[in-house]
Each structure stands twice: as C-alpha cells, then as structure tokens.
Amino acid sequence: MNLSHGDREFVPELTGNNIFLEALLALLSDLNPETRRHAAISVFNLACADLNTILLARYRDGALLQALTELVVTDAPDRQTDADEDARINAAECLLNMSCSEVRETTDRMASSFELLVSLSTCLRRNYASMDIKRYCAAALRRFAEVVHAPKAFHGSLLLALVYASQWTQTPCIADAFLFQAQVKTNRSAMVRHHGLLTGISKLALCSGRDQESAMVRKKAVAALDLLCQEVITRPLMAQHEGVILVLTRASFGTNSTEEVEATSISAEEATSSIEMKRTRSAPSQVGSQERVRVALNNLLGLA
C-alpha cells in the first residue's frame, strides 16, 4: 500500500511497526524534497486513525514530532524549491491533523513540546513561510488552546506561544485561542499575569483591516478581554493596562474600528467621560455585547 496515496477510510494499524516508523523518521529528513513530502503525507494519512496518533507522538520520545517540526520551520538556502515548499506544507498539515486527535495523550504530548509550540508561533512571523503553512500553524495553536488549561505544567508554554503569535490576523485562529483560554475560569489568573498577554490581546482587538476576518479577530479579542474582566482578582492588573482600557472604551461604543493603533493611551478620566456620553448608537443586536463591555470597563475604572 502506498501511504502517500492512501485511502483514509483504510488506515493501517501501527502497533508493532516500529521498523516502519523508523523508516518514516529517516525519510522525513531525506535529501530529496519529494521523498520528504511523501513521508509527511504518509504520516498525515496514518494520523487519520486516532489510535495511531498516540504511537506517532510516543515514538522515540517525540522524534517524529521533532522531525515534522524541523521540516516545517527550515529555511535553508538549499531548500527553497517548489518541492521543498510542498514538503513543508504537508508537514504543517500533518501536525494540524495530529493536534485534532481526540486522544488526550496525543494532544498532551504535542502541547508539552516547547519546541513545537514555539516553532508554530515563529512560522506566523516569518516571511519565508507560505500562507498555507501559516494557516495550518495558527489552526494547530488554536486547537491546543482548546484542550490545554491551567494548572498543567506546559500551560505557560502555550501562553508564551500565543503571545508570540498575537500579530497573526489573517485568520481568527489566534484570537479564537485567547477566547478559548479565557472561557475557562481556571486559566484567567495565569493569563492576566503572563507577560505580554494583555498587550497581545489588545493589539488583536485593535487590529486594522476592513475585511470580515479582521472584524472577527477584533470581536473575539474583545470577548476574551470581557471574560478576563469578570475575575475580581485580576481587575487591578487589567485596570493599569492602557491597551485594555482603550479597547473596552472603543468597544463599548461600537467604535473598535479598523484604525491602526500606534502608541495610543487613554486615561481613566477620559474613559469615564466617554462613558457618561453613553447612549448607544448601535443596532439592537449589538446592545447586549456592548452593555457587557461597559460593565467590564466600569468595573476596571472603579479601580483605576
């Protein structure tokens, strides 16, 4: 059976096939880019069976994951052909496929790899990475944010990767990831205290762009900040963050628009003055969310 052209409805069982896995590991770093591409596709097809994902993630303590990661992030001068790019795309898609496993051990093993998390976020900031690669990497980080929560030991590594990836606005994946994290109450304190995280979410909430994707990014980032404001213990820190106050003030009037925000600051007095003008100009469908944002803003301003 040619696994790189395999039938996803018939995926071979990997149990006891360590020799086969060793061969795939070697092929992922082969000098021929077509060989690397077919190896990545083969791992992708194998990962379509959840039971296989455990074996793939376990093999030689994550050696296959490391090989896929290195294939995605490599930008060596001698690996810039179309075939090399296809191999990187297939490797990134493979990592996303594995991250979508319903087996907790698989996702935990992947998310516990600091190198993997950082590599995914690094790709989003690299010019050499194609849009396809970046989309797969962003989607994988989004998936990890769904399943990794405090107090897991590697939760901090995930937050670090999300902060580093917070400039990504081509899809809502990173904003989604912050929102998924904020929806879990036990994550919120760690999120607010994580260096750079409030700045990262604020930048997403103030991103420029008039397209639908940018609008979704802003909406989800504001929703994440709204949830973080619900924790009394985190409010003093959030009240001191100018970006958070600016985002909530704009969102409370439906003006969290497409303007590119530079080093803008807003004082508590200015925000309070704006709130006093309050009567909404928005459509009825927006009133509920804007009212929640106003409540969150007022809670913070009471501490400023």
Coordinates of all heavy atoms in Angstrom, one line a residue, residues 145 159 162 166 172-185 187-189 191-192 197-206 215-231 234-235 238 243-244 247-248 251 256 289 292-293 296 300:
A145 N -5.1 25.4 22.3 CA -5.8 26.3 23.3 C -7.1 25.8 23.7 O -7.6 26.1 24.8 CB -6.0 27.7 22.7
L159 N 0.8 29.7 26.5 CA 0.5 31.2 26.6 C 1.7 31.9 26.0 O 1.4 32.9 25.3 CB 0.3 31.6 28.1 CG -0.9 31.0 28.8 CD1 -1.0 31.6 30.2 CD2 -2.2 31.3 28.0
L162 N 1.2 31.7 22.2 CA 0.1 32.6 21.8 C 0.5 34.1 21.8 O 0.1 34.8 20.9 CB -1.1 32.3 22.7 CG -1.8 31.0 22.6 CD1 -3.0 30.8 23.5 CD2 -2.2 30.6 21.1
S166 N 0.6 36.6 18.5 CA -0.5 37.5 18.6 C -0.6 38.6 17.5 O -1.5 39.4 17.4 CB -0.6 38.2 19.9 OG 0.6 38.9 20.2
P172 N -8.9 34.2 12.3 CA -9.3 34.5 13.7 C -8.7 33.4 14.6 O -9.0 33.5 15.8 CB -10.8 34.4 13.7 CG -11.3 34.4 12.3 CD -10.1 33.8 11.5
C173 N -7.8 32.6 14.1 CA -7.4 31.4 15.0 C -6.7 31.8 16.3 O -7.0 31.2 17.3 CB -6.4 30.5 14.2 SG -7.2 29.5 12.9
I174 N -5.8 32.8 16.3 CA -5.1 33.2 17.5 C -6.1 33.9 18.4 O -6.0 33.7 19.6 CB -3.9 34.0 17.2 CG1 -2.9 33.2 16.3 CG2 -3.1 34.4 18.5 CD1 -2.5 31.9 16.8
A175 N -6.9 34.8 17.9 CA -7.9 35.4 18.7 C -8.9 34.4 19.3 O -9.3 34.5 20.5 CB -8.7 36.5 17.9
D176 N -9.2 33.4 18.5 CA -10.0 32.3 19.0 C -9.3 31.6 20.1 O -10.0 31.2 21.1 CB -10.2 31.3 17.9 CG -11.6 31.4 17.2 OD1 -12.5 31.9 17.9 OD2 -11.7 31.1 16.0
A177 N -8.0 31.4 20.0 CA -7.2 30.7 21.0 C -7.3 31.4 22.3 O -7.5 30.8 23.4 CB -5.8 30.5 20.6
F178 N -7.1 32.7 22.3 CA -7.2 33.5 23.5 C -8.6 33.4 24.1 O -8.8 33.3 25.3 CB -6.9 35.0 23.2 CG -5.4 35.2 23.1 CD1 -4.9 35.8 22.0 CD2 -4.5 35.0 24.2 CE1 -3.5 36.0 21.9 CE2 -3.2 35.2 24.1 CZ -2.6 35.7 22.9
L179 N -9.6 33.4 23.3 CA -11.0 33.4 23.7 C -11.3 32.0 24.4 O -11.9 31.9 25.5 CB -12.0 33.6 22.6 CG -13.5 33.6 22.9 CD1 -13.8 34.5 24.0 CD2 -14.3 33.8 21.7
F180 N -10.8 30.9 23.7 CA -11.0 29.6 24.3 C -10.4 29.5 25.7 O -10.9 29.0 26.7 CB -10.4 28.5 23.5 CG -11.1 28.2 22.2 CD1 -10.5 27.9 21.0 CD2 -12.5 28.2 22.2 CE1 -11.1 27.6 19.9 CE2 -13.2 28.0 21.0 CZ -12.5 27.7 19.9
Q181 N -9.2 30.1 25.8 CA -8.5 30.1 27.1 C -9.2 30.9 28.2 O -9.4 30.5 29.3 CB -7.1 30.7 26.9 CG -6.1 29.8 26.3 CD -5.7 28.6 27.2 OE1 -5.0 28.8 28.2 NE2 -6.0 27.4 26.8
A182 N -9.7 32.1 27.8 CA -10.5 32.9 28.7 C -11.8 32.4 29.2 O -12.3 32.7 30.2 CB -10.7 34.3 28.1
Q183 N -12.4 31.5 28.4 CA -13.6 30.9 28.7 C -13.5 29.9 29.9 O -14.5 29.5 30.5 CB -14.2 30.1 27.5 CG -14.8 31.1 26.4 CD -15.2 30.4 25.1 OE1 -14.7 29.3 24.9 NE2 -16.0 31.1 24.3
V184 N -12.3 29.4 30.2 CA -12.1 28.5 31.3 C -11.6 29.3 32.5 O -10.5 29.9 32.5 CB -11.0 27.4 30.9 CG1 -10.7 26.5 32.0 CG2 -11.5 26.7 29.7
K185 N -12.4 29.3 33.5 CA -12.2 30.2 34.7 C -10.8 30.0 35.3 O -10.1 31.0 35.7 CB -13.3 29.9 35.7 CG -13.2 30.8 36.9 CD -14.4 30.5 37.8 CE -14.4 31.3 39.1 NZ -14.6 32.7 38.8
N187 N -8.1 29.4 34.0 CA -7.0 30.0 33.2 C -6.7 31.4 33.4 O -5.7 32.0 33.1 CB -7.2 29.7 31.7 CG -7.2 28.3 31.2 OD1 -6.6 27.5 31.9 ND2 -7.8 28.0 30.1
R188 N -7.8 32.1 33.8 CA -7.8 33.6 33.7 C -6.7 34.3 34.5 O -6.1 35.2 34.0 CB -9.2 34.1 34.1 CG -10.3 33.7 33.2 CD -11.6 34.1 33.6 NE -12.7 33.5 32.8 CZ -14.0 33.4 33.1 NH1 -14.4 33.9 34.2 NH2 -14.8 32.9 32.2
S189 N -6.5 33.9 35.7 CA -5.4 34.5 36.5 C -4.0 34.3 35.9 O -3.3 35.3 35.8 CB -5.4 33.9 37.9 OG -4.4 34.5 38.7
M191 N -3.4 33.9 32.8 CA -3.4 34.7 31.5 C -3.1 36.2 31.8 O -2.2 36.8 31.2 CB -4.8 34.6 30.8 CG -5.1 33.2 30.2 SD -6.7 33.2 29.4 CE -6.4 34.3 28.0
V192 N -3.8 36.7 32.8 CA -3.6 38.2 33.1 C -2.2 38.4 33.6 O -1.6 39.5 33.3 CB -4.6 38.7 34.1 CG1 -4.3 40.1 34.5 CG2 -6.0 38.6 33.5
L197 N 0.7 39.2 27.6 CA -0.5 38.6 27.1 C -1.6 39.7 26.9 O -2.3 39.7 25.9 CB -1.0 37.5 28.0 CG -2.2 36.7 27.5 CD1 -2.0 35.2 27.8 CD2 -3.5 37.2 28.1
L198 N -1.8 40.6 27.9 CA -2.8 41.6 27.7 C -2.5 42.5 26.5 O -3.4 42.9 25.8 CB -3.0 42.4 29.0 CG -3.6 41.7 30.2 CD1 -3.6 42.6 31.4 CD2 -5.0 41.1 29.9
T199 N -1.2 42.8 26.3 CA -0.8 43.6 25.2 C -1.2 42.9 23.9 O -1.7 43.5 22.9 CB 0.7 43.9 25.3 OG1 0.9 44.7 26.5 CG2 1.1 44.7 24.1
G200 N -0.9 41.6 23.8 CA -1.2 40.8 22.6 C -2.6 40.8 22.3 O -3.0 41.0 21.1
I201 N -3.5 40.5 23.3 CA -4.9 40.5 23.0 C -5.4 41.9 22.6 O -6.3 42.1 21.7 CB -5.7 40.0 24.2 CG1 -5.3 38.6 24.6 CG2 -7.2 40.0 24.0 CD1 -6.0 38.1 25.8
S202 N -4.9 43.0 23.3 CA -5.3 44.3 23.0 C -5.0 44.7 21.5 O -5.8 45.3 20.8 CB -4.6 45.3 23.9 OG -5.0 45.1 25.3
K203 N -3.8 44.3 21.1 CA -3.4 44.6 19.7 C -4.3 43.8 18.7 O -4.7 44.4 17.6 CB -2.0 44.1 19.4 CG -0.9 45.1 20.1 CD 0.5 44.6 19.8 CE 1.5 45.6 20.4 NZ 2.9 45.2 20.2
L204 N -4.7 42.6 19.0 CA -5.7 41.9 18.2 C -7.0 42.6 18.1 O -7.6 42.7 17.1 CB -5.9 40.5 18.7 CG -4.7 39.5 18.5 CD1 -5.0 38.2 19.2 CD2 -4.5 39.2 17.0
A205 N -7.4 43.1 19.3 CA -8.7 43.8 19.4 C -8.7 45.2 18.6 O -9.8 45.7 18.3 CB -9.1 44.0 20.8
L206 N -7.5 45.7 18.4 CA -7.4 47.0 17.7 C -6.8 46.9 16.3 O -6.3 47.8 15.8 CB -6.5 47.9 18.6 CG -7.1 48.3 19.9 CD1 -6.0 48.9 20.8 CD2 -8.3 49.2 19.8
A215 N -12.6 41.8 11.2 CA -13.7 42.0 12.1 C -13.9 40.9 13.1 O -14.2 41.2 14.3 CB -15.0 42.2 11.3
M216 N -13.7 39.7 12.7 CA -13.9 38.5 13.6 C -12.7 38.5 14.6 O -13.0 38.2 15.8 CB -13.9 37.2 12.8 CG -15.1 37.0 12.0 SD -16.6 36.9 13.1 CE -16.3 35.4 14.0
V217 N -11.5 38.8 14.2 CA -10.4 38.9 15.1 C -10.7 39.9 16.2 O -10.5 39.6 17.4 CB -9.1 39.3 14.4 CG1 -8.0 39.7 15.4 CG2 -8.6 38.2 13.5
R218 N -11.1 41.1 15.8 CA -11.4 42.1 16.9 C -12.5 41.7 17.8 O -12.4 41.9 19.0 CB -11.8 43.4 16.1 CG -10.7 44.1 15.4 CD -11.1 45.5 15.0 NE -12.0 45.5 13.9 CZ -11.7 45.4 12.6 NH1 -10.5 45.4 12.2 NH2 -12.7 45.4 11.7
K219 N -13.6 41.1 17.2 CA -14.7 40.7 18.1 C -14.3 39.6 19.1 O -14.7 39.7 20.3 CB -15.8 40.1 17.1 CG -17.1 39.6 17.9 CD -18.1 39.1 16.9 CE -19.3 38.5 17.6 NZ -20.3 38.0 16.7
K220 N -13.5 38.7 18.7 CA -13.1 37.6 19.6 C -12.1 38.1 20.6 O -12.2 37.6 21.8 CB -12.6 36.4 18.8 CG -13.6 35.7 17.9 CD -13.0 34.7 17.0 CE -14.1 34.0 16.2 NZ -15.1 33.3 16.9
A221 N -11.2 39.0 20.2 CA -10.3 39.5 21.2 C -11.0 40.3 22.3 O -10.7 40.3 23.5 CB -9.2 40.4 20.5
V222 N -12.0 41.1 21.9 CA -12.7 41.9 22.8 C -13.5 41.0 23.8 O -13.6 41.2 25.0 CB -13.7 42.9 22.1 CG1 -14.7 43.5 23.1 CG2 -13.0 44.0 21.4
A223 N -14.1 39.9 23.2 CA -14.8 39.0 24.1 C -13.9 38.3 25.1 O -14.3 38.1 26.2 CB -15.4 37.9 23.2
A224 N -12.6 38.0 24.7 CA -11.7 37.4 25.6 C -11.3 38.4 26.8 O -11.3 38.0 27.9 CB -10.4 37.1 24.9
L225 N -11.1 39.7 26.4 CA -10.9 40.7 27.5 C -12.1 40.8 28.4 O -11.9 41.0 29.6 CB -10.5 42.0 26.9 CG -9.2 42.1 26.2 CD1 -9.0 43.5 25.5 CD2 -8.1 41.9 27.2
D226 N -13.3 40.8 27.8 CA -14.5 40.9 28.7 C -14.5 39.7 29.7 O -14.9 40.0 30.9 CB -15.7 40.8 27.7 CG -17.0 40.8 28.5 OD1 -17.1 41.4 29.6 OD2 -18.0 40.3 27.9
L227 N -14.2 38.5 29.3 CA -14.2 37.4 30.2 C -13.1 37.5 31.3 O -13.4 37.2 32.4 CB -14.0 36.1 29.4 CG -15.2 35.6 28.6 CD1 -14.7 34.5 27.7 CD2 -16.3 35.2 29.5
L228 N -12.0 38.0 30.9 CA -10.9 38.2 31.9 C -11.3 39.2 32.9 O -10.8 39.1 34.1 CB -9.6 38.6 31.1 CG -8.9 37.6 30.2 CD1 -7.7 38.2 29.6 CD2 -8.6 36.3 31.0
C229 N -12.1 40.2 32.5 CA -12.5 41.3 33.5 C -13.5 40.7 34.5 O -13.7 41.4 35.5 CB -13.2 42.4 32.7 SG -12.0 43.4 31.8
Q230 N -14.0 39.5 34.3 CA -15.0 39.0 35.2 C -14.4 38.5 36.5 O -15.1 38.3 37.5 CB -15.8 37.9 34.6 CG -16.7 38.3 33.4 CD -17.5 37.2 32.8 OE1 -17.5 36.1 33.3 NE2 -18.0 37.5 31.6
E231 N -13.1 38.3 36.5 CA -12.4 37.8 37.7 C -11.9 39.0 38.6 O -11.1 39.8 38.1 CB -11.1 37.0 37.3 CG -11.5 35.7 36.5 CD -12.5 34.8 37.3 OE1 -12.2 34.5 38.5 OE2 -13.5 34.5 36.7
T234 N -8.2 39.7 39.1 CA -7.3 40.1 38.0 C -7.6 41.6 37.7 O -6.9 42.2 36.9 CB -7.5 39.3 36.8 OG1 -8.9 39.4 36.3 CG2 -7.2 37.8 37.1
R235 N -8.7 42.2 38.2 CA -9.1 43.5 37.7 C -8.0 44.6 38.0 O -7.8 45.5 37.2 CB -10.4 43.9 38.3 CG -11.6 43.1 37.7 CD -12.9 43.5 38.4 NE -14.0 42.7 37.9 CZ -15.2 42.6 38.5 NH1 -15.4 43.3 39.6 NH2 -16.1 41.8 38.0
M238 N -5.5 44.6 35.2 CA -6.1 45.0 33.9 C -6.4 46.5 33.9 O -6.3 47.1 32.9 CB -7.4 44.2 33.7 CG -7.1 42.7 33.5 SD -8.6 41.8 33.0 CE -8.8 42.3 31.3
G243 N -3.8 49.6 27.1 CA -4.4 48.9 25.9 C -5.8 48.3 26.2 O -6.7 48.5 25.4
V244 N -5.9 47.7 27.4 CA -7.2 47.1 27.8 C -8.2 48.2 27.9 O -9.4 48.1 27.4 CB -7.0 46.3 29.1 CG1 -8.4 45.9 29.6 CG2 -6.1 45.1 28.9
V247 N -9.3 49.5 24.4 CA -10.1 48.5 23.7 C -11.5 48.5 24.2 O -12.5 48.6 23.5 CB -9.5 47.1 23.8 CG1 -10.5 46.1 23.4 CG2 -8.2 47.0 23.1
L248 N -11.7 48.5 25.6 CA -13.0 48.4 26.1 C -13.8 49.7 25.9 O -15.0 49.7 25.8 CB -12.9 48.0 27.6 CG -12.4 46.7 27.9 CD1 -12.3 46.4 29.4 CD2 -13.2 45.6 27.3
A251 N -14.9 49.6 22.3 CA -15.9 48.5 22.1 C -17.2 48.9 22.7 O -18.3 48.5 22.2 CB -15.4 47.2 22.6
N256 N -14.6 50.1 17.9 CA -13.4 49.3 17.9 C -13.0 49.1 16.4 O -13.1 47.9 16.0 CB -13.5 48.0 18.7 CG -12.2 47.7 19.3 OD1 -11.6 48.5 19.9 ND2 -11.9 46.4 19.3
S289 N -23.9 42.9 23.8 CA -22.4 42.7 23.9 C -21.8 44.0 24.4 O -20.9 44.1 25.2 CB -21.8 42.2 22.6 OG -22.1 43.2 21.6
R292 N -22.3 44.5 28.1 CA -21.4 43.7 28.9 C -20.0 44.4 28.9 O -19.3 44.4 30.0 CB -21.3 42.3 28.3 CG -22.5 41.5 28.5 CD -22.2 40.0 28.3 NE -21.7 39.8 26.9 CZ -22.6 39.5 25.9 NH1 -23.9 39.5 26.1 NH2 -22.1 39.3 24.7
V293 N -19.6 44.9 27.8 CA -18.3 45.6 27.7 C -18.3 46.8 28.6 O -17.3 47.1 29.3 CB -17.9 46.0 26.3 CG1 -16.7 46.9 26.3 CG2 -17.7 44.7 25.5
A296 N -17.8 45.8 32.2 CA -16.4 45.4 32.4 C -15.6 46.6 32.5 O -14.7 46.7 33.4 CB -15.9 44.5 31.2
L300 N -13.4 48.1 35.9 CA -12.0 48.4 35.9 C -11.7 49.9 36.3 O -10.8 50.2 37.0 CB -11.4 48.2 34.5 CG -11.3 46.7 34.0 CD1 -10.5 46.7 32.7 CD2 -10.7 45.8 35.0

